């Protein structure tokens, strides 16, 4: 979860040629873990998603929201992501 909290600043050029911050990107490691967990849970039927796709940014947001709202102190990324995804992609909806 520590790796998912670190973001890379993405820079671009403004019309006047100056470098400006245009956004942030999560690490490839974090993205891989989140997308892998999502794929496994989707394949096993533990979660339900209409379009079968969710961006890594949304997946990270779901995890961070889960941690904040449930006040989870769990440091095990797998169990936190699983609980967050089951909450965000509940099959009874």
């Amino acid at each position: 979860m520590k790796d998912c909290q670190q973001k890379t600043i993405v820079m671009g050029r403004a019309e006047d040629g100056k470098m400006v911050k245009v956004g942030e990107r999560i690490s490839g490691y974090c993205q891989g873990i989140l997308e892998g967990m999502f794929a496994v849970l989707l394949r096993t039927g533990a979660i339900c998603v209409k379009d079968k796709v969710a961006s890594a940014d949304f997946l990270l947001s779901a995890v961070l929201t889960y941690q904040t709202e449930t006040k989870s102190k769990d440091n095990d990324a797998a169990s936190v992501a699983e609980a967050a995804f089951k909450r965000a992609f509940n099959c009874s909806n």
Side-chain angles (χ1 to χ4, degrees), residues 58-93:
F58 179 78
L59 296 176
L60 178 57
S61 173
V63 170
L64 296 177
T65 300
Y66 171 82
Q67 285 183 309
T68 300
E69 291 186 2
T70 64
K71 295 177 179 45
S72 173
K73 301 287 186 207
D74 193 347
N75 287 326
D76 179 35
S79 63
V80 171
E82 180 178 7
F85 294 167
K86 284 181 177 179
R87 180 176 177 227
F89 304 105
N90 188 320
C91 290
S92 63
N93 291 336

Side-chain angles (χ1 to χ4, degrees), residues 1-58:
M1 292 311 303
K2 242 184 215 181
D3 192 63
C4 287
Q5 294 171 358
Q6 298 175 358
K7 296 184 180 181
T8 301
I9 295 173
V10 178
M11 302 296 286
R13 293 209 182 270
E15 290 178 12
D16 62 4
K18 292 182 182 175
M19 293 297 290
V20 295
K21 178 180 172 181
V22 295
E24 295 178 337
R25 182 178 318 155
I26 65 174
S27 76
Y29 178 77
C30 177
Q31 180 176 348
I33 292 295
L34 294 173
E35 289 175 346
M37 286 288 301
F38 178 81
V40 167
L41 292 171
L42 184 61
R43 183 167 175 85
T44 60
I47 61 173
C48 298
V49 183
K50 290 179 183 162
D51 57 7
K52 309 272 190 243
V53 177
S55 72
D57 288 321
F58 179 78

